[in-house]
Amino acid sequence: MNAIEISQPGAPEVLRPAVRPDPVAGAGEVLIRVAASGVNRPDVLQRKGLYPVPPGASDLPGLEVAGVVDGGDADAMAAAGFRVGDRVCALVAGGGYAELCVAPVGQCLPVPAGWSDVEAASLPETFFTVWSNVFDRARLQPGEVFLVHGGTSGIGVTAIQLVKAFGATVIATAGSDEKCQACRDLGADHAINYRTQDFVEEAKRLTGGRGVDVILDMVAGDYIARDLQCLAEDGRVVIIAVQGGVDAKIDAGLVLRRRLVVTGSTLRPRPLAFKTAIAQALRTTVWPWLDAGRVKPVVHATFEAHRAAEAHALMESNRHIGKIVLTW
C-alpha cells in the first residue's frame, strides 16, 4: 500500500511517500480502505519526535480515517452492525496516513448519511476528545457556561457545536476578529479576540461576574492561572494539550475557596474499552445531531496525500479554521 511516513524527526518536509506492506486485521478489528485521513495536532508533535507512538501502534502518523470496510473479524463486525462494503470513520492509534488502515471495531462509526469521506474523516479525533473531556470528565450540564480556547481549531469548532447542541452557553477565544466571527457563525454565543482583549475580564463581564463553569484548554502554561480566575464556584478546567508550555503557577487558595477542579487527559494511549464507550456515547447522542444537521463538518482544506507536508505547514501556521484532511 501507499503511505506517508516520517523519515526522521523534523520539519514538515520529513514527511515522505512510502510503500508499506498491507496491514492485516486481527481479532476484533476491521481493515479499512482509506479514502480520507484527518490531520491533527498530535500528528505534528509525532513528526517532531515529541509524541511517542504507543506500544503496538503503527509508526505511521494519522489518528482518524474514513473509507470502506474491506475485511476483518466477521463476528466482531456483525456484533457491531458492520459488514464489508460499509462506509465508516474510525479513531486509530496510528497508521491513518495510508491507503489501508486497521481499526478496532469498537472505534468505528458509520459515516453520517449524505456526508463525504472528507467530511467523515474530520470527525473521530476531535469528537472523541471533546466528548471524553467536556461531557465525561468535566461533567458539563445543560444551562452551564463553557469556554474553549482556540475556537477555530479542529477541537474548537467541534466543541462549539457539540456544547451548543447540548444546551449550554458557549464562549470561544480566537486570535483575530475574522476567527471570532467564524466562532459566532458556528454557534458560539460570544467570542473573545485574545490579542486585543483580556479573556479573563471578558469572561467575567459576559457572565455578570459569576464566571464560567467549564474551560477546555489546549494552551496550558500561564493560561492555567488565568483560567482559574475565569471559573465560577465549582468550576472545572480540563487541559488537553500544552502548546503554551508545561509549567504553570496557580493560586492554590483560589482553588480551595472556590472549590475548583484542574484536570486533564490524553486519548491516544487509553485502552480499547475506554474508546469503545466513547464511540457508543457518540453514536447514541451525537450522531442524531449530525443526521439532523445540528452539527456540521468544518473542513478548511484538503490535500492529496503526497502533499502531507503542505498540510502540516498549514496546521503549524494556525491560519486554518476547522479541519485539514488528506485524500487518497
Side-chain angles (χ1 to χ4, degrees):
M1 67 175 182
N2 292 311
I4 302 297
E5 66 181 11
I6 301 169
S7 59
Q8 62 184 22
E13 292 72 26
V14 303
L15 295 170
R16 66 182 184 190
V19 176
R20 293 287 189 95
D22 292 353
V24 177
E29 296 179 331
V30 297
L31 180 66
I32 299 171
R33 186 161 295 278
V34 177
S37 312
V39 177
N40 293 282
R41 192 71 61 172
D43 304 346
V44 172
L45 295 176
Q46 180 178 335
R47 190 204 75 224
K48 293 180 175 180
L50 302 175
Y51 197 179
V53 176
S58 170
D59 67 302
L60 296 175
L63 302 177
E64 60 185 349
V65 298
V68 175
V69 175
D70 203 53
D73 183 332
D75 291 338
M77 287 194 294
F82 295 121
R83 59 186 178 182
V84 172
D86 283 350
R87 296 177 66 220
V88 297
C89 56
L91 180 76
V92 294
Y97 289 13
E99 291 178 316
L100 293 169
C101 183
V102 167
V105 173
Q107 293 172 206
C108 295
L109 288 159
V111 173
W115 284 43
S116 69
D117 291 317
V118 166
E119 292 170 331
S122 75
L123 294 177
E125 170 68 11
T126 59
F127 276 57
F128 275 70
T129 298
V130 169
W131 185 268
S132 174
N133 287 286
V134 175
F135 299 99
D136 287 344
R137 197 164 192 83
R139 307 179 311 283
L140 182 74
Q141 300 299 309
E144 289 191 320
V145 181
F146 169 78
L147 185 151
V148 60
H149 293 302
T152 54
S153 65
I155 291 289
V157 301
T158 299
I160 289 170
Q161 294 189 82
L162 294 191
V163 169
K164 194 63 184 174
F166 187 67
T169 297
V170 178
I171 302 173
T173 69
S176 70
D177 291 342
E178 175 193 9
K179 287 187 174 184
C180 283
Q181 185 57 52
C183 292
R184 288 188 287 267
D185 291 343
L186 286 168
D189 297 279
H190 308 284
I192 301 168
N193 184 339
Y194 64 81
R195 297 187 189 280
T196 60
Q197 299 170 291
D198 184 318
F199 74 77
V200 176
E201 293 181 1
E202 283 298 298
K204 289 181 177 179
R205 182 185 68 81
L206 292 168
T207 58
R210 174 183 176 274
V212 304
D213 298 289
V214 173
I215 298 175
L216 187 62
D217 188 306
M218 294 162 275
V219 183
D222 62 8
Y223 262 45
I224 303 303
R226 299 169 70 191
D227 287 341
L228 296 181
Q229 296 175 42
C230 292
L231 288 176
E233 291 188 353
D234 298 302
R236 295 85 75 194
V237 56
V238 186
I239 305 164
I240 59 169
V242 289
Q243 295 176 29
V246 297
D247 294 327
K249 182 178 180 180
I250 67 170
D251 181 345
L254 183 63
V255 174
L256 292 172
R257 292 190 301 272
R258 300 182 69 82
R259 302 179 302 280
L260 306 180
V261 174
V262 180
T263 184
S265 74
T266 57
L267 180 61
R268 191 177 189 181
R270 299 303 291 272
L272 171 60
F274 180 86
K275 297 175 186 176
T276 298
I278 299 173
Q280 292 170 345
L282 290 172
R283 192 164 185 175
T284 298
T285 302
V286 176
W287 253 234
W289 296 345
L290 302 177
D291 290 335
R294 296 177 65 191
V295 177
K296 300 178 180 179
V298 183
V299 178
H300 180 88
T302 61
F303 294 85
E304 294 180 1
H306 70 271
R307 297 173 60 199
E310 295 175 57
H312 275 226
L314 174 60
M315 172 157 282
E316 290 186 273
S317 76
N318 293 318
R319 298 194 313 270
H320 59 294
I321 295 174
K323 293 299 293 282
I324 302 167
V325 179
L326 305 178
T327 60
W328 295 89

